[in-house]
Amino acid sequence: MARLIDFADYLNGKKEKTHILENLTYVATREGVALNEVNVREFIQPLRMTTIAHQISDRQYDLIKELLERAPELRESISYEDLQKNANMYTASVFIAESIERLLVKDADNEIYLKYISERPGVQKKANMQHGLFDANGVADIERYRTDLGNHGGNVWRHIISLRREDAVLYEYETQDAWRDLVNKHIADHARNMGIDSDQLRWVAAFHDEGNHPHIHLMMWSVNNEGFQDKEALNKFRRALTHDIFADEIWLREQYKAEIRDDFEHVFEHSFQKLMDQAVRSSKDSLEALSKQVVQLANELPNRKTQVYGYLTPQLKGQVFEIIKNVIECPQIQPMLEKYLESHRILGSIYMKEGSEAMRQYLERSLQKILDPQKGDRKKLQNYILKIANEMKQEERQRKMLHSYQMMSIEEKIRNDAWQLIDPQLGIALIKTGIALGKDPMEVIEDTSPYFETREAAMEAYLDVKNGPEMLQKELRLIEKHFKESIPYDSQTSEAQAIHGALKIFQHVLMAMEDGKIQADKEAHRLFMAHRLDERYMKIQKVKS
């Protein structure tokens, strides 16, 4: 349940003004009795707590159903949540009373509404005053505002802003002065968001200190009929009020969310390295697919020393999106992800109702910000993936340079009669070398035939290995021994092994960074101690002089 509830509507001064009692007929099957103002006033008097022991009556049940059909937004009220948690005659009566009051407010014209909120039972009145109306300066001149509203032909925006009793007590919103200070602090910003100049703004309010929901009725309008209250302006107003009232609690929840976020990011990075390490030793499709995605990203990244997510093309951002999505779906990350989203829910519960559509959309947006952050969102996971992929790209470029030089040397020696001998195992290794270089099949067979008994044997060997040309370390050693070339054993490794090698390099980089940090800390400490000694020496010299 949202901690602050704001029911908002407006009436136009030019439209026909009708009272709720003329429109609210809730009993076509109940003898046609219509509520009138006297009925309502009696109905919202303080209710007897003794009714808490009784079940909801059939009449109450039917009336609640009809009220919800008429105004579905009543489901967002504090009294409706209390009714859901503990349904009895008392909670049902409270909900019905508050609902009828809100419908009365909704349909009453502005002059009737002004009189109602200032004089109805439960309003907090100042000494020697017959009403509870107040404005920015204190007790309001009700007759003046009645005249103003009677002549006003534009929109009048009206709010019912309520708190739970426990929150009103905890944060000291049980007096008219506290609510007036709150409205004074935020009404100008709200008017600005609505397009109203501050000198054209008028507002009055009344505080009703009753039941489980102390609340204020607020009316505001522009004397020159300007302004428009859209959904965005209304949400900003509600958020500002909520953030002001619950500032300390929101700060604590924000800190908790930040701590959980840092833990989640750490787990993500650790799990990603572990998954890549497992990909080297496993043939699972999921790991193989993930490693291929990272390799593809590394290959397609632009040639830059550093990579920044915000400057990537939409296509590359989509690849990063898929990688992160696959990683967070792993079982070892899911619990931490759920804990992170729970920290968002805990914070969001101050602003919106648990289980509501608004809460669902809020949590979806929170998850989407992890996968596909927009301008202004945190991008630590994205930039981490880019850093790993870029390290891999740089390592691959160096590997290819070395690989190309060595292969050129071996290619020349393959054709040299001085190096040729019949050795089928060596011939197979050279066939794999030719395939790795992307040479034409017939050229590969021609170059390697001297290492087999016949050309047909070389062709059969090519057909045997063409679908599985991965180079084994023993074959690399065989080529190295025969041609006396120093071949790095990872030059023909699989993609997953290349990733593993890049991660090892990255780990060394991190270790070097950590060593650098330690040295910097030592130097800072040395300078600090030297400064302390200088201060002490200067004090001694001053005493001696």
Side-chain angles (χ1 to χ4, degrees), residues 186-198 201 220 227-228 237:
H186 298 285
I187 196 72
D189 287 338
H190 182 44
R192 192 176 305 112
N193 291 331
M194 294 171 63
I196 301 175
D197 292 336
S198 58
L201 175 68
M220 57 180 293
F228 179 77
F237 184 48

Side-chain angles (χ1 to χ4, degrees), residues 469-484:
E470 290 81 10
M471 186 73 77
L472 302 176
Q473 286 191 8
K474 66 179 182 179
E475 293 170 329
L476 289 170
R477 292 192 187 99
L478 189 61
I479 296 174
E480 180 181 14
K481 181 179 179 181
H482 181 67
F483 295 108
K484 298 182 174 59

Side-chain angles (χ1 to χ4, degrees), residues 7-11 18-21 24 40 44 70 97-110 112-114 116-117 120 156-160 208 215-219:
F7 285 94
D9 70 351
Y10 77 96
L11 290 178
T18 56
H19 197 277
I20 181 63
L21 301 178
L24 181 61
V40 173
I44 61 177
R70 174 178 171 81
E98 292 182 8
S99 299
I100 292 178
E101 177 188 11
R102 286 196 171 94
L103 293 177
L104 169 66
V105 166
K106 185 175 182 180
D107 288 349
D109 66 44
N110 291 322
I112 294 174
Y113 179 70
L114 183 70
Y116 172 76
I117 66 172
R120 58 147 289 186
V156 177
W157 293 275
R158 311 185 304 183
H159 301 258
I160 304 176
H208 296 168
H215 60 277
I216 62 167
H217 293 257
L218 171 67
M219 304 176 69

Side-chain angles (χ1 to χ4, degrees), residues 54-69:
H54 301 285
Q55 294 182 346
I56 298 176
S57 67
D58 291 341
R59 182 173 178 274
Q60 284 181 317
Y61 179 83
D62 291 339
L63 184 53
I64 289 171
K65 182 179 178 181
E66 190 165 346
L67 287 168
L68 292 175
E69 289 175 353

Side-chain angles (χ1 to χ4, degrees), residues 32-191:
V33 177
L35 291 175
N36 54 48
E37 188 174 354
V38 176
N39 297 140
V40 173
R41 294 269 180 105
E42 293 175 352
F43 202 65
I44 61 177
Q45 292 292 330
L47 302 167
R48 298 192 306 274
M49 286 293 294
T50 54
T51 57
I52 200 169
H54 301 285
Q55 294 182 346
I56 298 176
S57 67
D58 291 341
R59 182 173 178 274
Q60 284 181 317
Y61 179 83
D62 291 339
L63 184 53
I64 289 171
K65 182 179 178 181
E66 190 165 346
L67 287 168
L68 292 175
E69 289 175 353
R70 174 178 171 81
E73 67 272 13
L74 293 172
R75 297 178 188 274
E76 299 297 320
S77 66
I78 294 173
S79 58
Y80 182 70
E81 185 184 17
D82 291 340
L83 176 63
Q84 286 184 305
K85 290 180 178 178
N86 187 18
N88 55 60
M89 186 175 288
Y90 176 76
T91 56
S93 298
V94 171
F95 172 71
I96 292 170
E98 292 182 8
S99 299
I100 292 178
E101 177 188 11
R102 286 196 171 94
L103 293 177
L104 169 66
V105 166
K106 185 175 182 180
D107 288 349
D109 66 44
N110 291 322
E111 190 173 355
I112 294 174
Y113 179 70
L114 183 70
K115 184 175 187 296
Y116 172 76
I117 66 172
S118 63
E119 299 178 4
R120 58 147 289 186
V123 69
Q124 189 176 87
K125 303 174 183 178
K126 293 292 185 179
N128 301 320
M129 299 298 293
Q130 298 302 311
H131 64 83
L133 208 64
F134 63 90
D135 56 18
N137 300 313
V139 177
D141 184 344
I142 189 171
E143 295 303 326
R144 170 199 159 192
Y145 284 118
R146 281 177 177 168
T147 301
D148 288 350
L149 286 173
N151 297 327
H152 182 64
N155 291 338
V156 177
W157 293 275
R158 311 185 304 183
H159 301 258
I160 304 176
I161 306 171
S162 60
L163 291 173
R164 291 182 175 280
R165 173 61 64 182
E166 55 266 31
D167 286 332
V169 172
L170 179 62
Y171 294 105
E172 300 180 348
Y173 281 91
E174 292 186 289
T175 65
Q176 184 188 102
D177 291 341
W179 284 98
R180 185 181 70 248
D181 292 343
L182 180 70
V183 174
N184 264 330
K185 193 184 300 185
H186 298 285
I187 196 72
D189 287 338
H190 182 44

